[in-house]
Amino acid sequence: PPVVWRIQDWQPTDARVMRAAQCKAGKTTMTGDLARSLVDGDSFLGQHKVTPITGRLALFDFEMSARQLDSWLYDQRIVHDDQIVVFPMRGSAVAFDLLDPATRNRWANLLRDHSAGYVIWDCFRPVMDALGLDEHRDAGRLLVGFDALLAEANISEALIVHHMGHTGERSRGDSR
Protein backbone atom coordinates (compact mmCIF):
# COMPACT_ATOMS: atom_id res chain seq x y z
CA PRO A 1 0.00 0.00 0.00
CA PRO A 2 1.12 3.59 -0.52
CA VAL A 3 2.86 5.34 2.36
CA VAL A 4 0.66 7.74 4.31
CA TRP A 5 2.83 10.60 5.53
CA ARG A 6 2.59 12.58 8.76
CA ILE A 7 5.43 14.69 7.36
CA GLN A 8 5.93 14.27 3.61
CA ASP A 9 9.11 12.32 2.79
CA TRP A 10 10.22 12.48 6.43
CA GLN A 11 7.89 10.59 8.78
CA PRO A 12 5.13 8.16 7.85
CA THR A 13 2.05 7.98 10.06
CA ASP A 14 2.29 5.47 12.93
CA ALA A 15 6.09 5.75 12.94
CA ARG A 16 8.82 6.79 15.32
CA VAL A 17 11.88 8.67 14.20
CA MET A 18 15.19 9.64 15.73
CA ARG A 19 16.86 12.91 14.85
CA ALA A 20 20.59 12.72 15.48
CA ALA A 21 22.94 15.62 14.89
CA GLN A 22 26.10 17.17 16.22
CA CYS A 23 26.11 19.78 18.98
CA LYS A 24 24.85 23.19 17.79
CA ALA A 25 23.52 21.75 14.51
CA GLY A 26 20.00 23.10 15.08
CA LYS A 27 18.30 20.14 16.77
CA THR A 28 16.32 22.39 19.12
CA THR A 29 15.28 24.75 16.33
CA MET A 30 14.20 21.80 14.20
CA THR A 31 12.20 20.40 17.11
CA GLY A 32 10.38 23.72 17.56
CA ASP A 33 9.57 23.86 13.86
CA LEU A 34 8.29 20.30 14.07
CA ALA A 35 6.08 21.09 17.08
CA ARG A 36 4.55 24.08 15.30
CA SER A 37 4.03 22.08 12.11
CA LEU A 38 2.35 19.18 13.90
CA VAL A 39 -0.18 21.33 15.77
CA ASP A 40 -0.69 24.18 13.27
CA GLY A 41 -0.33 22.22 10.01
CA ASP A 42 2.47 24.46 8.68
CA SER A 43 4.97 22.88 6.33
CA PHE A 44 7.95 21.34 8.10
CA LEU A 45 11.17 23.26 7.49
CA GLY A 46 9.21 25.34 5.00
CA GLN A 47 8.98 22.56 2.44
CA HIS A 48 7.46 19.29 3.69
CA LYS A 49 3.67 19.01 3.82
CA VAL A 50 2.37 18.05 7.28
CA THR A 51 -0.87 16.42 8.32
CA PRO A 52 -1.60 17.87 11.78
CA ILE A 53 -1.82 15.40 14.64
CA THR A 54 -4.97 14.39 16.42
CA GLY A 55 -4.66 15.08 20.12
CA ARG A 56 -1.90 17.00 21.80
CA LEU A 57 1.82 17.02 21.35
CA ALA A 58 3.73 16.06 24.51
CA LEU A 59 7.21 17.57 24.68
CA PHE A 60 9.69 16.15 27.19
CA ASP A 61 12.71 18.45 27.28
CA PHE A 62 15.73 17.41 29.34
CA GLU A 63 18.10 20.25 28.46
CA MET A 64 16.40 23.63 28.87
CA SER A 65 14.99 25.37 31.90
CA ALA A 66 11.23 25.95 31.99
CA ARG A 67 11.80 29.66 31.27
CA GLN A 68 14.10 28.91 28.31
CA LEU A 69 11.62 26.41 26.93
CA ASP A 70 8.74 28.89 27.22
CA SER A 71 10.73 31.54 25.39
CA TRP A 72 11.87 29.09 22.72
CA LEU A 73 8.32 27.89 22.02
CA TYR A 74 7.01 31.48 22.04
CA ASP A 75 9.55 32.38 19.34
CA GLN A 76 8.05 29.67 17.12
CA ARG A 77 4.78 31.66 16.94
CA ILE A 78 2.69 28.55 17.48
CA VAL A 79 -0.97 29.38 16.90
CA HIS A 80 -2.42 26.32 18.66
CA ASP A 81 -0.04 26.37 21.63
CA ASP A 82 -2.82 24.93 23.80
CA GLN A 83 -2.25 21.69 21.85
CA ILE A 84 1.23 21.30 23.31
CA VAL A 85 1.86 19.85 26.76
CA VAL A 86 5.35 20.71 27.95
CA PHE A 87 7.31 18.70 30.50
CA PRO A 88 10.48 20.65 31.39
CA MET A 89 12.63 17.84 32.81
CA ARG A 90 16.11 19.37 33.15
CA GLY A 91 17.50 18.05 36.42
CA SER A 92 14.68 15.50 36.73
CA ALA A 93 15.67 12.92 34.14
CA VAL A 94 15.68 10.14 36.73
CA ALA A 95 11.90 10.63 36.98
CA PHE A 96 11.64 9.36 33.39
CA ASP A 97 12.75 5.83 34.27
CA LEU A 98 10.92 3.97 31.53
CA LEU A 99 12.53 0.71 32.61
CA ASP A 100 10.43 0.72 35.79
CA PRO A 101 6.90 -0.52 35.00
CA ALA A 102 5.24 1.56 37.74
CA THR A 103 6.95 4.78 36.62
CA ARG A 104 6.19 4.05 32.99
CA ASN A 105 2.54 3.43 33.89
CA ARG A 106 2.33 6.80 35.69
CA TRP A 107 3.70 8.58 32.61
CA ALA A 108 1.35 6.65 30.32
CA ASN A 109 -1.63 7.67 32.46
CA LEU A 110 -0.50 11.30 32.37
CA LEU A 111 -0.12 11.22 28.59
CA ARG A 112 -3.59 9.69 28.21
CA ASP A 113 -5.03 12.29 30.63
CA HIS A 114 -3.60 15.02 28.38
CA SER A 115 -4.90 13.33 25.20
CA ALA A 116 -1.38 13.14 23.77
CA GLY A 117 -1.15 11.88 20.20
CA TYR A 118 2.55 12.52 19.56
CA VAL A 119 5.64 12.62 21.79
CA ILE A 120 8.89 14.51 21.36
CA TRP A 121 11.75 13.42 23.64
CA ASP A 122 14.55 16.01 23.59
CA CYS A 123 17.07 14.63 24.21
CA PHE A 124 17.91 10.99 24.86
CA ARG A 125 21.31 11.18 26.62
CA PRO A 126 20.35 12.92 29.91
CA VAL A 127 17.97 10.08 30.74
CA MET A 128 20.65 7.49 29.96
CA ASP A 129 23.03 9.29 32.31
CA ALA A 130 20.48 9.79 35.09
CA LEU A 131 19.62 6.09 35.08
CA GLY A 132 23.28 5.03 35.02
CA LEU A 133 22.88 3.30 31.66
CA ASP A 134 25.74 2.64 29.26
CA GLU A 135 24.99 4.08 25.83
CA HIS A 136 26.86 1.23 24.12
CA ARG A 137 24.92 -1.58 25.77
CA ASP A 138 21.74 -0.15 27.29
CA ALA A 139 20.28 2.30 24.76
CA GLY A 140 18.15 -0.45 23.27
CA ARG A 141 16.68 -1.31 26.66
CA LEU A 142 15.60 2.29 27.16
CA LEU A 143 14.13 2.44 23.65
CA VAL A 144 12.12 -0.72 24.41
CA GLY A 145 10.84 1.07 27.54
CA PHE A 146 9.86 4.04 25.38
CA ASP A 147 8.00 1.76 22.98
CA ALA A 148 6.17 0.26 25.96
CA LEU A 149 5.27 3.75 27.22
CA LEU A 150 3.84 4.72 23.85
CA ALA A 151 1.89 1.46 23.62
CA GLU A 152 0.44 1.94 27.13
CA ALA A 153 -0.52 5.53 26.28
CA ASN A 154 -1.92 4.49 22.87
CA ILE A 155 0.45 6.81 20.98
CA SER A 156 1.85 5.61 17.67
CA GLU A 157 4.11 8.51 16.65
CA ALA A 158 7.15 10.07 18.25
CA LEU A 159 10.47 11.78 17.73
CA ILE A 160 13.58 11.24 19.83
CA VAL A 161 16.37 13.79 19.58
CA HIS A 162 19.85 12.35 20.02
CA HIS A 163 23.45 13.42 19.63
CA MET A 164 25.81 12.18 16.94
CA GLY A 165 28.89 10.16 17.79
CA HIS A 166 32.28 11.83 17.89
CA THR A 167 33.04 11.00 14.25
CA GLY A 168 29.69 12.43 13.07
CA GLU A 169 28.91 9.32 11.01
CA ARG A 170 26.12 7.90 13.17
CA SER A 171 24.25 8.53 16.40
CA ARG A 172 25.86 7.73 19.71
CA GLY A 173 25.30 4.40 21.40
CA ASP A 174 24.46 0.89 20.30
CA SER A 175 23.01 0.10 16.90
CA ARG A 176 19.45 -0.25 18.24
Side-chain angles (χ1 to χ4, degrees), residues 20-54:
Q22 294 287 11
C23 181
K24 301 300 178 196
K27 294 183 297 294
T28 299
T29 301
M30 183 273 317
T31 303
D33 187 77
L34 177 65
R36 186 188 68 254
S37 296
L38 289 171
V39 299
D40 288 346
D42 297 346
S43 62
F44 177 57
L45 302 175
Q47 61 186 12
H48 301 280
K49 183 180 180 222
V50 174
T51 301
I53 60 170
T54 301

mmCIF file of all heavy atoms in Angstrom, residues 20-54:
data_model
loop_
_atom_site.group_PDB
_atom_site.id
_atom_site.type_symbol
_atom_site.label_atom_id
_atom_site.label_comp_id
_atom_site.label_asym_id
_atom_site.label_seq_id
_atom_site.Cartn_x
_atom_site.Cartn_y
_atom_site.Cartn_z
ATOM 1 N N ALA A 20 19.255 12.654 14.890
ATOM 2 C CA ALA A 20 20.586 12.715 15.476
ATOM 3 C C ALA A 20 21.404 13.755 14.739
ATOM 4 O O ALA A 20 21.393 13.799 13.503
ATOM 5 C CB ALA A 20 21.263 11.348 15.399
ATOM 6 N N ALA A 21 22.097 14.596 15.492
ATOM 7 C CA ALA A 21 22.937 15.622 14.886
ATOM 8 C C ALA A 21 23.995 16.052 15.895
ATOM 9 O O ALA A 21 23.845 15.839 17.103
ATOM 10 C CB ALA A 21 22.109 16.824 14.449
ATOM 11 N N GLN A 22 25.021 16.668 15.382
ATOM 12 C CA GLN A 22 26.102 17.175 16.220
ATOM 13 C C GLN A 22 25.604 18.334 17.084
ATOM 14 O O GLN A 22 24.576 18.953 16.793
ATOM 15 C CB GLN A 22 27.273 17.658 15.341
ATOM 16 C CG GLN A 22 27.954 16.576 14.567
ATOM 17 C CD GLN A 22 28.816 15.685 15.452
ATOM 18 O OE1 GLN A 22 28.786 15.724 16.668
ATOM 19 N NE2 GLN A 22 29.599 14.837 14.819
ATOM 20 N N CYS A 23 26.367 18.632 18.101
ATOM 21 C CA CYS A 23 26.110 19.776 18.978
ATOM 22 C C CYS A 23 26.028 21.059 18.139
ATOM 23 O O CYS A 23 26.821 21.248 17.218
ATOM 24 C CB CYS A 23 27.240 19.855 19.999
ATOM 25 S SG CYS A 23 27.070 21.196 21.167
ATOM 26 N N LYS A 24 25.053 21.890 18.434
ATOM 27 C CA LYS A 24 24.852 23.185 17.786
ATOM 28 C C LYS A 24 24.490 23.074 16.300
ATOM 29 O O LYS A 24 24.707 23.999 15.532
ATOM 30 C CB LYS A 24 26.084 24.089 17.955
ATOM 31 C CG LYS A 24 26.447 24.363 19.396
ATOM 32 C CD LYS A 24 25.301 25.054 20.096
ATOM 33 C CE LYS A 24 25.634 25.295 21.569
ATOM 34 N NZ LYS A 24 24.457 25.611 22.336
ATOM 35 N N ALA A 25 23.912 21.938 15.903
ATOM 36 C CA ALA A 25 23.520 21.750 14.506
ATOM 37 C C ALA A 25 22.075 22.187 14.244
ATOM 38 O O ALA A 25 21.597 22.093 13.121
ATOM 39 C CB ALA A 25 23.697 20.286 14.106
ATOM 40 N N GLY A 26 21.373 22.634 15.274
ATOM 41 C CA GLY A 26 20.003 23.096 15.083
ATOM 42 C C GLY A 26 18.937 22.102 15.490
ATOM 43 O O GLY A 26 17.789 22.211 15.062
ATOM 44 N N LYS A 27 19.284 21.142 16.343
ATOM 45 C CA LYS A 27 18.301 20.135 16.772
ATOM 46 C C LYS A 27 17.115 20.791 17.485
ATOM 47 O O LYS A 27 15.965 20.453 17.217
ATOM 48 C CB LYS A 27 18.958 19.096 17.696
ATOM 49 C CG LYS A 27 19.994 18.228 17.024
ATOM 50 C CD LYS A 27 20.566 17.176 17.955
ATOM 51 C CE LYS A 27 21.315 17.723 19.139
ATOM 52 N NZ LYS A 27 22.547 18.442 18.846
ATOM 53 N N THR A 28 17.388 21.739 18.367
ATOM 54 C CA THR A 28 16.324 22.393 19.124
ATOM 55 C C THR A 28 15.445 23.240 18.211
ATOM 56 O O THR A 28 14.216 23.219 18.324
ATOM 57 C CB THR A 28 16.928 23.245 20.251
ATOM 58 O OG1 THR A 28 17.654 22.376 21.122
ATOM 59 C CG2 THR A 28 15.856 23.965 21.048
ATOM 60 N N THR A 29 16.048 23.948 17.286
ATOM 61 C CA THR A 29 15.276 24.753 16.333
ATOM 62 C C THR A 29 14.402 23.856 15.470
ATOM 63 O O THR A 29 13.222 24.141 15.235
ATOM 64 C CB THR A 29 16.228 25.596 15.459
ATOM 65 O OG1 THR A 29 17.003 26.430 16.315
ATOM 66 C CG2 THR A 29 15.460 26.443 14.466
ATOM 67 N N MET A 30 14.961 22.744 15.004
ATOM 68 C CA MET A 30 14.200 21.800 14.197
ATOM 69 C C MET A 30 13.025 21.232 14.994
ATOM 70 O O MET A 30 11.920 21.085 14.480
ATOM 71 C CB MET A 30 15.116 20.664 13.723
ATOM 72 C CG MET A 30 14.461 19.639 12.814
ATOM 73 S SD MET A 30 13.590 18.219 13.543
ATOM 74 C CE MET A 30 14.629 17.663 14.833
ATOM 75 N N THR A 31 13.249 20.950 16.260
ATOM 76 C CA THR A 31 12.200 20.401 17.107
ATOM 77 C C THR A 31 11.065 21.411 17.284
ATOM 78 O O THR A 31 9.885 21.054 17.252
ATOM 79 C CB THR A 31 12.773 19.962 18.461
ATOM 80 O OG1 THR A 31 13.809 19.012 18.230
ATOM 81 C CG2 THR A 31 11.722 19.337 19.350
ATOM 82 N N GLY A 32 11.408 22.676 17.449
ATOM 83 C CA GLY A 32 10.385 23.717 17.556
ATOM 84 C C GLY A 32 9.576 23.847 16.279
ATOM 85 O O GLY A 32 8.349 23.986 16.311
ATOM 86 N N ASP A 33 10.262 23.803 15.146
ATOM 87 C CA ASP A 33 9.572 23.861 13.860
ATOM 88 C C ASP A 33 8.637 22.667 13.707
ATOM 89 O O ASP A 33 7.506 22.807 13.243
ATOM 90 C CB ASP A 33 10.596 23.905 12.720
ATOM 91 C CG ASP A 33 9.944 24.127 11.372
ATOM 92 O OD1 ASP A 33 9.571 25.282 11.087
ATOM 93 O OD2 ASP A 33 9.799 23.148 10.615
ATOM 94 N N LEU A 34 9.110 21.507 14.133
ATOM 95 C CA LEU A 34 8.285 20.298 14.070
ATOM 96 C C LEU A 34 7.045 20.439 14.947
ATOM 97 O O LEU A 34 5.931 20.124 14.520
ATOM 98 C CB LEU A 34 9.095 19.076 14.493
ATOM 99 C CG LEU A 34 8.315 17.761 14.535
ATOM 100 C CD1 LEU A 34 7.848 17.356 13.154
ATOM 101 C CD2 LEU A 34 9.174 16.670 15.155
ATOM 102 N N ALA A 35 7.222 20.924 16.172
ATOM 103 C CA ALA A 35 6.080 21.088 17.079
ATOM 104 C C ALA A 35 5.031 22.007 16.456
ATOM 105 O O ALA A 35 3.834 21.690 16.440
ATOM 106 C CB ALA A 35 6.548 21.634 18.422
ATOM 107 N N ARG A 36 5.484 23.144 15.934
ATOM 108 C CA ARG A 36 4.553 24.080 15.301
ATOM 109 C C ARG A 36 3.855 23.419 14.107
ATOM 110 O O ARG A 36 2.640 23.521 13.940
ATOM 111 C CB ARG A 36 5.284 25.344 14.838
ATOM 112 C CG ARG A 36 4.320 26.408 14.312
ATOM 113 C CD ARG A 36 4.997 27.604 13.666
ATOM 114 N NE ARG A 36 5.638 27.191 12.426
ATOM 115 C CZ ARG A 36 6.959 27.040 12.256
ATOM 116 N NH1 ARG A 36 7.788 27.295 13.246
ATOM 117 N NH2 ARG A 36 7.456 26.651 11.106
ATOM 118 N N SER A 37 4.609 22.725 13.285
ATOM 119 C CA SER A 37 4.030 22.079 12.106
ATOM 120 C C SER A 37 2.990 21.039 12.477
ATOM 121 O O SER A 37 1.940 20.938 11.836
ATOM 122 C CB SER A 37 5.143 21.423 11.276
ATOM 123 O OG SER A 37 6.028 22.393 10.780
ATOM 124 N N LEU A 38 3.269 20.263 13.513
ATOM 125 C CA LEU A 38 2.352 19.185 13.901
ATOM 126 C C LEU A 38 1.043 19.691 14.483
ATOM 127 O O LEU A 38 0.005 19.048 14.323
ATOM 128 C CB LEU A 38 3.039 18.238 14.885
ATOM 129 C CG LEU A 38 4.140 17.362 14.284
ATOM 130 C CD1 LEU A 38 4.892 16.625 15.390
ATOM 131 C CD2 LEU A 38 3.579 16.384 13.266
ATOM 132 N N VAL A 39 1.070 20.832 15.176
ATOM 133 C CA VAL A 39 -0.182 21.327 15.767
ATOM 134 C C VAL A 39 -0.871 22.377 14.901
ATOM 135 O O VAL A 39 -2.089 22.507 14.949
ATOM 136 C CB VAL A 39 0.001 21.850 17.219
ATOM 137 C CG1 VAL A 39 0.495 20.733 18.123
ATOM 138 C CG2 VAL A 39 0.900 23.065 17.291
ATOM 139 N N ASP A 40 -0.093 23.126 14.103
ATOM 140 C CA ASP A 40 -0.688 24.180 13.273
ATOM 141 C C ASP A 40 -0.890 23.753 11.821
ATOM 142 O O ASP A 40 -1.619 24.409 11.077
ATOM 143 C CB ASP A 40 0.187 25.439 13.289
ATOM 144 C CG ASP A 40 0.129 26.172 14.617
ATOM 145 O OD1 ASP A 40 -0.764 25.874 15.436
ATOM 146 O OD2 ASP A 40 0.991 27.061 14.832
ATOM 147 N N GLY A 41 -0.207 22.681 11.392
ATOM 148 C CA GLY A 41 -0.329 22.222 10.015
ATOM 149 C C GLY A 41 0.582 22.959 9.044
ATOM 150 O O GLY A 41 0.448 22.794 7.828
ATOM 151 N N ASP A 42 1.503 23.783 9.545
ATOM 152 C CA ASP A 42 2.472 24.463 8.679
ATOM 153 C C ASP A 42 3.404 23.438 8.052
ATOM 154 O O ASP A 42 3.632 22.361 8.614
ATOM 155 C CB ASP A 42 3.329 25.447 9.488
ATOM 156 C CG ASP A 42 2.523 26.567 10.111
ATOM 157 O OD1 ASP A 42 1.355 26.766 9.720
ATOM 158 O OD2 ASP A 42 3.070 27.254 11.001
ATOM 159 N N SER A 43 3.995 23.790 6.929
ATOM 160 C CA SER A 43 4.967 22.883 6.330
ATOM 161 C C SER A 43 6.179 22.768 7.244
ATOM 162 O O SER A 43 6.556 23.726 7.929
ATOM 163 C CB SER A 43 5.369 23.358 4.934
ATOM 164 O OG SER A 43 5.983 24.625 5.006
ATOM 165 N N PHE A 44 6.772 21.597 7.270
ATOM 166 C CA PHE A 44 7.952 21.336 8.102
ATOM 167 C C PHE A 44 9.188 21.843 7.368
ATOM 168 O O PHE A 44 9.394 21.516 6.199
ATOM 169 C CB PHE A 44 8.055 19.836 8.404
ATOM 170 C CG PHE A 44 9.258 19.433 9.189
ATOM 171 C CD1 PHE A 44 9.512 19.987 10.430
ATOM 172 C CD2 PHE A 44 10.139 18.492 8.696
ATOM 173 C CE1 PHE A 44 10.619 19.609 11.168
ATOM 174 C CE2 PHE A 44 11.246 18.102 9.421
ATOM 175 C CZ PHE A 44 11.491 18.667 10.656
ATOM 176 N N LEU A 45 9.964 22.654 8.056
ATOM 177 C CA LEU A 45 11.168 23.263 7.492
ATOM 178 C C LEU A 45 10.858 24.043 6.215
ATOM 179 O O LEU A 45 11.695 24.189 5.337
ATOM 180 C CB LEU A 45 12.247 22.202 7.229
ATOM 181 C CG LEU A 45 12.688 21.395 8.452
ATOM 182 C CD1 LEU A 45 13.669 20.310 8.043
ATOM 183 C CD2 LEU A 45 13.291 22.313 9.519
ATOM 184 N N GLY A 46 9.619 24.524 6.133
ATOM 185 C CA GLY A 46 9.215 25.343 5.002
ATOM 186 C C GLY A 46 9.011 24.602 3.699
ATOM 187 O O GLY A 46 8.743 25.224 2.672
ATOM 188 N N GLN A 47 9.102 23.262 3.721
ATOM 189 C CA GLN A 47 8.980 22.560 2.443
ATOM 190 C C GLN A 47 8.260 21.226 2.480
ATOM 191 O O GLN A 47 7.855 20.733 1.437
ATOM 192 C CB GLN A 47 10.352 22.369 1.819
ATOM 193 C CG GLN A 47 11.303 21.547 2.643
ATOM 194 C CD GLN A 47 12.706 21.526 2.037
ATOM 195 O OE1 GLN A 47 13.020 22.293 1.140
ATOM 196 N NE2 GLN A 47 13.541 20.650 2.535
ATOM 197 N N HIS A 48 8.090 20.613 3.639
ATOM 198 C CA HIS A 48 7.462 19.290 3.694
ATOM 199 C C HIS A 48 6.028 19.419 4.221
ATOM 200 O O HIS A 48 5.817 19.899 5.338
ATOM 201 C CB HIS A 48 8.263 18.353 4.606
ATOM 202 C CG HIS A 48 9.677 18.173 4.161
ATOM 203 N ND1 HIS A 48 10.020 17.314 3.144
ATOM 204 C CD2 HIS A 48 10.824 18.757 4.573
ATOM 205 C CE1 HIS A 48 11.332 17.371 2.959
ATOM 206 N NE2 HIS A 48 11.842 18.240 3.808
ATOM 207 N N LYS A 49 5.073 18.954 3.419
ATOM 208 C CA LYS A 49 3.668 19.007 3.818
ATOM 209 C C LYS A 49 3.457 18.177 5.083
ATOM 210 O O LYS A 49 4.003 17.086 5.229
ATOM 211 C CB LYS A 49 2.801 18.459 2.683
ATOM 212 C CG LYS A 49 1.325 18.532 2.977
ATOM 213 C CD LYS A 49 0.505 17.983 1.828
ATOM 214 C CE LYS A 49 -0.951 18.094 2.229
ATOM 215 N NZ LYS A 49 -1.722 16.950 1.894
ATOM 216 N N VAL A 50 2.639 18.701 5.995
ATOM 217 C CA VAL A 50 2.370 18.054 7.280
ATOM 218 C C VAL A 50 0.866 17.857 7.445
ATOM 219 O O VAL A 50 0.082 18.763 7.173
ATOM 220 C CB VAL A 50 2.908 18.903 8.453
ATOM 221 C CG1 VAL A 50 2.501 18.318 9.798
ATOM 222 C CG2 VAL A 50 4.421 19.042 8.364
ATOM 223 N N THR A 51 0.498 16.664 7.891
ATOM 224 C CA THR A 51 -0.869 16.421 8.317
ATOM 225 C C THR A 51 -0.883 16.616 9.829
ATOM 226 O O THR A 51 -0.197 15.883 10.547
ATOM 227 C CB THR A 51 -1.313 14.982 7.971
ATOM 228 O OG1 THR A 51 -1.200 14.805 6.558
ATOM 229 C CG2 THR A 51 -2.742 14.743 8.413
ATOM 230 N N PRO A 52 -1.610 17.618 10.332
ATOM 231 C CA PRO A 52 -1.600 17.875 11.778
ATOM 232 C C PRO A 52 -2.028 16.647 12.574
ATOM 233 O O PRO A 52 -2.819 15.824 12.100
ATOM 234 C CB PRO A 52 -2.608 19.012 11.954
ATOM 235 C CG PRO A 52 -2.733 19.646 10.607
ATOM 236 C CD PRO A 52 -2.496 18.539 9.614
ATOM 237 N N ILE A 53 -1.505 16.539 13.774
ATOM 238 C CA ILE A 53 -1.822 15.400 14.636
ATOM 239 C C ILE A 53 -3.212 15.543 15.235
ATOM 240 O O ILE A 53 -3.759 16.637 15.317
ATOM 241 C CB ILE A 53 -0.782 15.239 15.766
ATOM 242 C CG1 ILE A 53 -0.735 16.483 16.660
ATOM 243 C CG2 ILE A 53 0.580 14.905 15.206
ATOM 244 C CD1 ILE A 53 0.094 16.324 17.935
ATOM 245 N N THR A 54 -3.749 14.413 15.627
ATOM 246 C CA THR A 54 -4.970 14.386 16.419
ATOM 247 C C THR A 54 -4.524 14.275 17.868
ATOM 248 O O THR A 54 -3.655 13.481 18.194
ATOM 249 C CB THR A 54 -5.826 13.160 16.038
ATOM 250 O OG1 THR A 54 -6.138 13.255 14.645
ATOM 251 C CG2 THR A 54 -7.103 13.109 16.848
#
